[in-house]
Amino acid sequence: ITRGHQNKLFLTLQNRTRIPPCVYIGHKEPPPGAEAYIPQRYPDNRIVSSKYTFWNFIPKNLFEQFRRIANFYFLVIFLVQLIIDTPTSPVTSGLPLFFVITVTAIKQGYEDWLRHKADCSINECPVDVVQQGKVVRTQSHKLRVGDVVMVREDETFPCDLILLSSSRHDGTCYVTTASLDGESSHKTYYAVPDTMAFRTEQEVDSLHATIECEQPQPDLYKFVGRINIYKDKEEPVARPLGAENLLLRGATLKNTQHIYGTVAVYTGMETKMALNYQSKSQKRSAVEKSMNAFLIVYLCILISKAVINTVLKYAWQCPNISFTYSLYCTFLDTFSLLQVIRAFTDFLAFMVLFNYIIPVSMYVTVEMQKFLGSYFITWDEEMFDEELGEGAQVNTSDLNEELGQVEYVFTDKTGTLTENNMEFIECCVDGNVYIPHSSGAEETDESCEHEDLFFRALCLCHTVQVKEEETVDGIKRGIHQGRPTSFYISSSPDEVALVEGMKRLGYTYLRLKDNHMEILNKDDEIERFELLHVLNFDSVRRRMSVIVKSSSGEYLLFCKGADSSIFPRVVSGKVEQVKARVEQNAVEGLRTLCVAYKRLSTSEYEEACHHLTEAKLALQDREQRLAQAYDIIERDFVLLGATAVEDRLQEKAADTIESLHKAGMKVWVLTGDKMETAAATCYASKLFRRSTQILELTKKRTEEQSLHDVLFELNRTVLRQPHGHTRTEQDSNFDCLDFGLIIDGATLSAVLKPNQEGAAHGNYREIFLEICRNCSAVLCCRMAPLQKAQIVKLIKASKEHPITLAIGDGANDVSMILEAHVGIGIMGKEGRQAARNSDYAIPKFKHLKKMLLVHGHYYYIRIAELVQYFFYKNVCFIFPQFLYQFFCGFSQQPLYDTAYLTLYNISFTSLPILLYSLVEQHVTIETLKREPSLYRDIAKNSLLRWPVFLYWTCLGVFDAVIFFFGAYFLFDNTTFTSNGQMFGNWTFGTLVFTVLVFTVTLKLALDTHHWTWINHFVIWGSLLFYVIFSLLWGGIIWPFLNYQRMYYVFMQMLSSGPAWLSIILLITVSLLPDVIKKVLCRAMCPTATERAQVGFALKWRLYKAAFFTPK
Amino acid sequence: MMASTYNAKDEDGHITVAGPGGGTLRSRKPENTAFKQQRLPAWQPILTAGTVLPAFFVIGLIFIPIGIGLYVTSNNIKEFEIDYTGVDMSSPCFNCSQNFSWNSTRPCTCSIPFYLDQPYESNVFMYYGLSNFYQNHRRYVKSRDDSQLNGDSEALTKPSKECEPYAFHDNKPIAPCGAIANSMFNDSLELFYNDPNGTKVQIHLMKTGIAWWTDKHVKFRNPGGNNPNLTVAFQGTTKPVNWRKPVYELDSDQENDGFINEDFIVWMRTAALPTFRKLYRIIQKKKDMVLTLPRGNYTLEVVYNYPVRSFEGRKRMILSTISWMGGKNPFLGIAYITVGSVCFFLGVVLLIIHHKYGNRNNSADISN
């Protein structure tokens, strides 16, 4: 590897640490000169996606696993058991921990092995490298920075390459980046102009050049570099390199025979692809947060239990020395260090005894529930889109339940609410309207200069590609026959719609060949324009321009863009007429664009050229410099006209929004579109109803009044509605006045600007939020992508901390998708970036309804029950043990046998709750879809709030008390059998445990509303398993055990009548309060969900009656 | 291709889950099975006042009779209890309880007269009861070696370390080792019927059948297999510190000697609570006599060996008859009656609620 940095060239750089790396093509050093280079080391082209090697797997994996707080907790418990004399053997906590750790390690090891295999096959795939003028085949991982690589058609690039030359004469090549960002459209990449003429290996090998480029960074669409080409002792020629020159690893070459590329800086783990797959930041759900809070409560309970027992042991029990344990108390006569240590060991022993209250299995179950549960989303047939051939996709299963908690929905407009299937409707030139397929076109036949220019402008000012189905020569013929064998592709559907619209109006864009754009005009003549510069579209400028040279040698600049970005730059033209038309179209919900042009003199052109080249060559701040250059060039336009394109609403978009409203969610539309267009869409999609009172907070308004006044006035308007009234409004949205807010980007940034006029006016934010809170729908238009994220962040941080959901389809929505609690991507036409960065991806907006109202609702109630039930069953499990300490001299004697302690959470009670949390449906899917308002029942984490948690915990304590004292009074000083024989402490424990297992399982059965055959199988099966296990466990003298305490205990217990009777009695009593609570709550104050359940049952009964009576 | 492999990358050892939806699942229509579409046929019960009502009445109607039956049975059981600890000066065993040590050679005896005001029919079970004795103390419970008790010859000479500090004595292994065995109850109780004509008739006490059959025949085995000579089998071991005689001299009967001595087995089954009773002897009903124990005066003769005063314990002797549901225990019957009545009462309350609220709800639903 030969690399270095050339001090001379980087004198302008301020920041020394960011000196870009430099590549010597073909490993040839630059001609001896001023450049002194320091060789730098760069990674080879080996891709390492695996995390572990054979040697470090065990230590590294263990370290990673024990970094988890829960695993660490169990490890500590296990170690304590190993070290001190504890009531339960280390096996009881070691076994589950070992199981969990092993399963995880095996899973991760297997995945890593797969990764190793994949890495291997990637690293060893053959690559053609040009060396000494010959093509040599080598393995991918042997590639070095600076190698010249030859890639053939349909091959994947082995690393990030700079395109030197292509087999196509114009030095372009087509590439699909489907595996990187999912966009299957072909993208054009350009060779460096100075090297694009190379045809053979020898020629390529003779190249003498260096490449400088920025440090590796993950943005797929950004690259800044420069190539210096040395020709025979001349001064090197510097050429800019941009993203259009960089072929990314993972992309595939299409429609091009072969290319020569040089390995750019980025090989191996530095390629953009590798950088992109680094793990994303993890979002955590609200349920997880409350689960952690509960855990802390339980940890406190655990510690206080241990403390209470330790204190009591020493304060109360030891003075009354009983001879059985006098042995262990004799040291306590004097206060000493030994005593402190002794007390501390006792404390630890109690901790170990009660540690099951925080079960390791809960984590496993929750993870499994999330993982397995998320399959129901991907399996859902209703969320499958035939057209796309894809169903919903789950990118993270951590947030399933968050889908049931959404309070704010932020949606993009284009492509999300609307189809993003653009259709050209009309255009207007100087106020004359042209509509394709109507006589309108002919009517205005008076050939005015502007009309010609307008159509040419639309034919030239775009980045549409023509995709041929036949070879290059085939196009012309195809189009001449009137059967276009070619179609247009572009990243922007608007452009396609415009170019196609032009075609219908008689001007056909044919192709771009040798930098000349060819247009077939109305008279079937081919016009050729030399394409000199493309000033690309960006969402900040909201316009794009091209500079072309017509065949007559004229320099023309065509620009099209949003009206707001064009009108201020127009100096002449029929502005008023066009503006009127644009506004009219916008009100109808059409997307409008304005077209303007400017003639450039040769000197002006050269100046523009100079600006652009300078900016493009810059290595630092290139973006900014380009923006400045564009700003200088794009001014003093002559307005030509405007276009209107229709974007139809997505199927059922209105229905979905209405459902979301009824479900109590607030829907905000965030769009970059014009206010009028966006408002029209909002009305069409029923976001705003006719009755909605629209509040405007726009630039237009703040120009008249100060922002301060406007805000306060709006606030007054909103608050004038009495508060009691807003309550009822929730139920009857229709007859009540509700508010809709429209705000634009400029005003928003003014509102959010911190402390502009001192502290007194600093809280615009609060007033703004207050207004928003009282509006059922908000429309934010003219938003920059970053502003979308800002809004989401603002709402997220407001004092209620609502759960937000962002949904969008384009690259401009990625920031808000990443910001929101739940990000949903729509697999849209504008590429896959949104879907790739989202947590869930769905094909269409309408699927959001099922996603939230059905899946989200189910996941939430399932996981809420899972969490509560887990804590409940462990209170039931451990609390009797706590009570038992009072009757065994605080000696940490476990109530249950070791096997029961270990298996309780692992097998006796694990499956029913796991299954419940996978398949429970408290109401049917249809009901949930029909009645979106049921979603309100679970809003604000209602099933995991502290009162509910307290109820479950109290229920657990009550049950535990029943189990323990029930058994206590039955056992108290009496015989249990008909042969007079006595039972011991293990029978006592087994009796409590049997009641416990049955009660806890039956409690879940009472909570189950959806009994499929699997539920029956698992619930009754796990009870049966408990019985069979106990029979087996007590039926044999187990040779490997050093104690036989359970021998025949279970059978002896079952052989006694009173034991049966008391088991039945205790189970009944334990379940009674919960049943009564359920019945009373349902009868006295039923929730909407409960009404829906009854409603369903009644209908079902009626249906059944109707079905059976005729017989 | 890389994309799918990276998906599975874990962050920090969570059992995280990349989520489904890798490359292969795409572009395939999900299967339309009832399970995958969450449309499995299901029974959807709802707990309403209406559906729960009958259950409450049924529970009430079943539980109350059971409870009454249990209560009556329990009341028919005769039980007699006498505390012979000797705490009071007046108690006949006061002297014995005073000068006590485990190793006193001269046995102390005392006899306590008592009067049974009811005749005892059928088999009578004689228990000894101890109070404030924490047989369920953790270190006590585990201080035993089940392998040794199961006749394992290796464990006989090398007792488990759980038995410490009662594993070795004078460098000889203790058989049976451990604190439980060491503290075995060693009072002997005998019962005499004072005939109205003045003669003292000793009542035959059966000392077998008091331990679980499985314990006696499977769990507890003497070492040396069927070797009838227990003295040889236990050679090389020493008796527990507190015992007066070695384990092979517990009984003259070969079938009740050594580890399979039933008194020993009963003691080894540790009690659940600090106040407990253990079966001591059985007084079998004689064929010719109607009454096992007629009404009258009796004397309990105690060989007072077992010290309880050090931990303020109490010793009792209990005579009890047994029914199908065991000994006297009014709790179960009362509990059944209470729960049954509560259920019945709740049933009535729910009936009222159902009438008051039920119709309202249903009508509201139907109108929906």
Side-chain angles (χ1 to χ4, degrees), chain A residues 773-806:
Chain A
R773 222 170 276 141
N774 289 298
C775 291
S776 58
V778 178
L779 165 66
C780 305
C781 45
R782 294 276 187 238
M783 298 291 258
L786 219 61
Q787 279 187 312
K788 293 186 174 184
Q790 270 181 348
I791 286 251
V792 176
K793 202 173 195 166
L794 178 74
I795 297 298
K796 246 170 90 174
S798 69
K799 65 173 183 275
E800 295 103 345
H801 296 288
I803 308 293
T804 55
L805 176 142

Side-chain angles (χ1 to χ4, degrees), chain A residues 107 371 386 892 1044 1061, chain B residues 16-17 29 37 138 146 336:
Chain A
K107 179 181 161 254
F371 172 58
E386 299 284 353
Q892 302 115 28
Q1044 307 296 341
L1061 286 175
Chain B
T16 41
V17 164
K29 197 175 160 112
Q37 301 307 322
R138 179 165 67 86
D146 278 337
Y336 259 93

Side-chain angles (χ1 to χ4, degrees), chain A residues 800-816:
Chain A
E800 295 103 345
H801 296 288
I803 308 293
T804 55
L805 176 142
I807 178 166
D809 70 324
N812 58 344
D813 306 316
V814 169
S815 58
M816 76 172 176

